[in-house]
Amino acid sequence: MLGYHLRRASLVTTGSFMDSMVELELRPVDFSVLNLLLTNTGVTSRQLCRALNVLPPNMVAVINALEKRGVLTRHQNARDKRSEILQITASGKKLILQALQQAIASDQAATAKLTARERASLARMLKKIYAG
Amino acid sequence: MLGYHLRRASLVTTGSFMDSMVELELRPVDFSVLNLLLTNTGVTSRQLCRALNVLPPNMVAVINALEKRGVLTRHQNARDKRSEILQITASGKKLILQALQQAIASDQAATAKLTARERASLARMLKKIYAG
DNA sequence: TATTGTTATACTCTATAACTATA
DNA sequence: TATAGTTATAGAGTATAACAATA
């Protein structure tokens, strides 16, 4: 069963990723939020929820903690007073750029047994599973 | 990053697996316990914990529920009175055999976009990641 | 001393209901 | 009426400490 092998391999790469984020104190959801804010502007909490498959009530504490940490700020949305625009700070950019670097290194390390050709082939087949 | 693709593909197959177990009312841990008891004899709670990476305190409720359901029984261990030997019942065998059949079908369905050759290649590469 | 099974407990992740302000 | 953010809360899954019985 492929699902079994997929789960075990995924546990390896996920574990490696989380280990690499321990010192930066970033959980997967924190990493993903900052990564999205790094490359997108004018993003709201609801948009993060949809992109990351996180329910709105569970995103509240995530954003509060990141704001308290000084890696993102909230700004009022002139177009829609219900929502707030989230923006990554200089400190947040520095943090996520370092995190991305470490994440790439941990991914390489966890899949080091594969050749470049195998990696490309693997990525293509995995996409066929989750994206049709 | 391969880890990202692995995680998304794994979420698809895991979701498909869990959906296929809804009617049989089996969680992944229940499936794994019964599957191990189907092909191994003289198994204890501690051995299940080690094989499935579940902590002993968390295995207690799992086994209690499966015993209450009548799919496994406990028997005193003559060699070591601290532990109990777990045994799958006829009802349990019937249940896990049906579950295995459905799990295989769900796995096939979730990875239907891949050819037989691709499946073999994918399994081989995934093993390289988690088993070296 | 070490191990097995167990209880109690806590922490994280995930999920739903319901509220307010705004659209 | 529908949506955004929020609070409160509940349910899984996972974690540690500590205990009695046995090795």
Side-chain angles (χ1 to χ4, degrees):
Chain A
M1 287 197 271
L2 278 175
Y4 171 76
H5 301 300
L6 271 170
R7 187 168 168 280
R8 290 200 58 181
S10 182
L11 281 174
V12 169
T13 51
T14 301
S16 175
F17 170 77
M18 289 180 71
D19 287 350
S20 77
M21 292 298 121
V22 167
E23 54 182 323
L24 297 179
E25 293 180 84
L26 289 175
R27 294 166 300 162
V29 67
D30 302 316
F31 177 92
S32 300
V33 164
L34 291 181
N35 191 31
L36 279 174
L37 292 183
L38 180 68
T39 46
N40 299 90
T41 57
V43 178
T44 68
S45 173
R46 265 299 150 95
Q47 290 175 317
L48 289 176
C49 285
R50 282 189 284 261
L52 302 177
N53 205 32
V54 172
L55 293 168
N58 299 330
M59 186 59 84
V60 176
V62 174
I63 293 173
N64 283 345
L66 291 172
E67 184 189 26
K68 193 169 184 179
R69 202 168 156 182
V71 292
L72 65 77
T73 50
R74 301 167 194 253
H75 304 277
Q76 70 163 7
N77 187 357
R79 293 188 175 191
D80 185 340
K81 287 185 182 173
R82 291 173 302 180
S83 63
E84 284 180 313
I85 301 298
L86 304 173
Q87 195 174 359
I88 193 167
T89 64
S91 159
K93 277 184 192 171
K94 188 180 164 190
L95 177 62
I96 190 60
L97 286 174
Q98 190 182 348
L100 278 163
Q101 206 172 342
Q102 292 182 198
I104 289 166
S106 98
D107 195 82
Q108 288 279 338
T111 60
K113 292 275 170 59
L114 301 178
T115 66
R117 194 183 189 82
E118 285 176 324
R119 306 169 79 83
S121 170
L122 179 55
R124 184 186 58 80
M125 290 192 282
L126 294 174
K127 280 181 205 163
K128 276 178 106 168
I129 292 173
Y130 74 75
Chain B
M1 289 195 272
L2 278 176
Y4 171 76
H5 301 299
L6 272 171
R7 187 167 168 279
R8 290 200 59 180
S10 182
L11 281 174
V12 168
T13 51
T14 300
S16 176
F17 170 77
M18 290 181 71
D19 287 350
S20 76
M21 293 297 121
V22 166
E23 52 181 324
L24 297 180
E25 293 181 84
L26 289 174
R27 295 165 301 163
V29 67
D30 302 316
F31 178 92
S32 299
V33 165
L34 291 180
N35 191 30
L36 279 175
L37 293 183
L38 180 67
T39 47
N40 298 91
T41 57
V43 178
T44 67
S45 173
R46 226 31 184 230
Q47 289 174 319
L48 290 177
C49 285
R50 282 189 284 260
L52 303 177
N53 206 31
V54 171
L55 292 168
N58 299 330
M59 187 59 84
V60 176
V62 174
I63 293 174
N64 283 344
L66 292 174
E67 183 189 26
K68 193 170 183 178
R69 203 169 155 181
V71 292
L72 65 77
T73 51
R74 300 168 194 253
H75 303 278
Q76 72 163 4
N77 187 356
R79 292 187 178 194
D80 187 338
K81 286 184 181 174
R82 290 174 303 182
S83 62
E84 282 180 314
I85 300 298
L86 303 174
Q87 194 175 359
I88 192 167
T89 64
S91 161
K93 278 184 192 171
K94 189 180 162 189
L95 178 61
I96 190 60
L97 286 174
Q98 190 181 349
L100 278 163
Q101 207 172 343
Q102 291 181 201
I104 290 166
S106 100
D107 196 81
Q108 288 279 339
T111 59
K113 291 275 170 60
L114 301 179
T115 66
R117 193 183 190 80
E118 285 175 325
R119 306 169 81 83
S121 170
L122 179 55
R124 183 186 59 80
M125 290 191 282
L126 295 175
K127 280 181 205 165
K128 275 178 104 169
I129 292 173
Y130 74 76

